[in-house]
Amino acid sequence: MAKAESLQAELEIKSPADKFFKVFTNQAHHVPNAASDKIHSVDVHEGDWETAGSVKQWEYTIDGKKEIFKEKIEVDEANKSFTMTAVGGHLLEQYRSYKVTAKVTPKDEGSLLAVNIEYEKLKPEDTPPHNYRELVLSILKDVDAHVMKIEI
């Protein structure tokens, strides 16, 4: 059985931690407005926009192809972190498991965003999801810029 592996990154963002956190945990419908060249839509599949455990379906483009990511979100309000675990979509055709955890920490100005992508390969020779990490980081940067422009 393959073991779980991970990719990490840290970003300094300009957004206040509370506002940035709120977009992903309560208002994911804003993400296509922020990253329209990457994210085409986000729809609630089960539950609602605000409840942890709700399932959302994301339609996006990566490497010139349209794909779907169906995720279940878990939220840790106290630590300003959220985890999106893949429950369906194209990623699970390439990886046995895939989840993105982001933790937003306030700073004097802006916030620090720590991102961890945990995945399990289907086959040992499969490559790590570097392209998905770059997509996630690009979306997070776009959302940061968007949050600074809108009232949330």
Side-chain angles (χ1 to χ4, degrees):
M1 180 173 206
K3 66 178 179 105
E5 298 178 54
S6 64
L7 300 170
Q8 293 89 28
E10 280 191 352
L11 295 174
E12 289 197 19
I13 59 174
K14 295 177 181 167
S15 303
D18 288 342
K19 287 177 78 173
F20 189 87
F21 180 74
K22 189 175 183 179
V23 169
F24 286 95
T25 60
N26 298 81
Q27 300 176 348
H29 57 276
H30 282 291
V31 177
N33 297 330
S36 62
D37 61 325
K38 300 164 198 84
I39 301 293
H40 308 293
S41 67
V42 181
D43 297 305
V44 174
H45 188 70
E46 295 174 23
D48 57 43
W49 290 110
E50 298 184 9
T51 305
S54 293
V55 175
K56 295 175 191 72
Q57 181 169 299
W58 300 66
E59 292 185 18
Y60 58 93
T61 298
I62 186 166
D63 300 333
K65 297 182 304 187
K66 286 191 176 186
E67 293 189 0
I68 292 172
F69 173 60
K70 194 180 291 186
E71 54 85 2
K72 182 181 235 181
I73 190 166
E74 296 303 326
V75 177
D76 180 346
E77 290 277 347
N79 291 306
K80 294 285 181 258
S81 72
F82 58 90
T83 300
M84 296 177 171
T85 301
V87 296
H90 291 88
L91 274 163
L92 295 181
E93 294 172 4
Q94 300 174 57
Y95 302 98
R96 182 170 281 113
S97 64
Y98 181 93
K99 68 180 173 181
V100 176
T101 300
K103 180 178 177 12
V104 190
T105 305
K107 293 177 33 175
D108 288 339
E109 288 188 32
S111 306
L112 182 65
L113 180 61
V115 180
N116 183 57
I117 298 174
E118 188 177 303
Y119 61 96
E120 189 176 342
K121 297 176 182 177
L122 287 173
K123 299 178 291 235
E125 63 273 13
D126 288 341
T127 59
H130 292 291
N131 58 339
Y132 287 96
R133 179 185 62 185
E134 295 311 309
L135 175 66
V136 167
L137 295 176
S138 179
I139 292 165
L140 295 171
K141 289 175 188 175
D142 289 350
V143 169
D144 177 39
H146 187 70
V147 165
M148 295 305 294
K149 295 180 200 170
I150 63 171
E151 194 64 36
I152 294 181

